[in-house]
Amino acid sequence: MKLLKQFLKKIRYVDRYIRFYHKFNSFGKHSVIKKPFRLINMHNVDVGDYCLFMPGLRLETIEHTNWNNQKFTPHITFGDHVEVQQGVHIVATHNIKIGNNVGIGPYSMINDTRHVYTDPDTPIMYQPLDGGNIEIGDGSMLGMGACVLPGVKIGKNCFIGANCVVAKDVPDNTIVSPAKNRKATIPVD
């Protein structure tokens, strides 16, 4: 029975490789993306070994825009042992580097680009794109609903709390939480 399970697991991996893993620039051994997902321009993405991507992933690199003819050379790099929970959205026009042993909580967003507001007569959606590189250090973790904005560097072994918006650099070994200065209350019966 154990041999049959191992055989079926290998068959599933070969099937996934033939259908979509080969579209990545590199895809590490024992890494898995669970369905459903949306993958766009994966030839700009490197995935390390033993990574797990849960259902609902949206992973895209934007090479050009149709409305203002901007061109980009994006790249996303995942280290080894990265775990990405369900519903995560990662978008790059520049570079996103995610270190080893990083956890990304459900419904988080990592986006290294933004629409600028230069022409008040043009809808914001059609304004030029701008942004900056993002780096998330080894051993860090993003809580549920965290949002990492363009140009941010998060150090090693940091914890970004649930629903935090990270707009500036975070040094190594730091906890970022909107609730860190609040005292916990314990209900008394």
Side-chain angles (χ1 to χ4, degrees):
M1 191 64 159
K2 186 176 180 181
L3 287 175
L4 180 61
K5 284 184 180 181
Q6 289 175 344
F7 177 72
L8 292 174
K9 186 175 180 181
K10 287 181 182 183
I11 294 294
R12 275 194 306 273
Y13 184 82
V14 169
D15 175 58
R16 289 180 182 147
Y17 185 85
I18 291 169
R19 292 192 311 177
F20 46 82
Y21 291 173
H22 74 281
K23 296 177 183 176
F24 288 79
N25 186 47
S26 67
F27 199 85
K29 65 181 179 181
H30 304 290
S31 291
V32 175
I33 300 177
K34 298 196 175 204
K35 293 187 209 176
F37 51 79
R38 181 166 172 95
L39 307 174
I40 301 170
N41 293 329
M42 291 303 91
H43 58 276
N44 299 317
V45 178
D46 291 304
V47 175
D49 297 336
Y50 299 95
C51 292
L52 176 62
F53 300 88
M54 297 303 282
L57 173 70
R58 181 171 179 170
L59 183 61
E60 62 183 295
T61 60
I62 300 170
E63 295 177 331
H64 68 279
T65 60
N66 294 330
W67 57 88
N68 57 18
N69 295 321
Q70 285 182 278
K71 303 243 184 273
F72 302 102
T73 55
H75 195 81
I76 300 174
T77 305
F78 293 93
D80 297 333
H81 300 277
V82 173
E83 187 170 314
V84 178
Q85 293 298 317
Q86 68 270 13
V88 171
H89 190 160
I90 302 173
V91 180
T93 56
H94 293 71
N95 293 300
I96 297 175
K97 182 180 179 193
I98 299 171
N100 298 323
N101 303 303
V102 171
I104 301 173
Y107 309 107
S108 296
M109 183 178 84
I110 302 170
N111 188 349
D112 76 355
T113 189
R114 64 181 161 252
H115 292 270
V116 296
Y117 188 62
T118 56
D119 181 7
D121 296 328
T122 303
I124 293 174
M125 188 169 127
Y126 300 115
Q127 300 268 351
L129 297 176
D130 186 20
N133 298 337
I134 292 176
E135 186 175 333
I136 300 175
D138 294 346
S140 290
M141 180 175 233
L142 276 67
M144 181 176 187
C147 179
V148 181
L149 298 179
V152 169
K153 180 179 179 184
I154 297 173
K156 295 179 179 179
N157 300 315
C158 292
F159 179 77
I160 309 301
N163 296 316
C164 283
V165 176
V166 184
K168 60 183 182 179
D169 290 354
V170 177
D172 291 352
N173 306 307
T174 301
I175 296 173
V176 177
S177 172
K180 82 176 179 182
N181 293 325
R182 297 182 191 160
K183 293 182 179 179
T185 58
I186 301 171
V188 179
D189 291 337

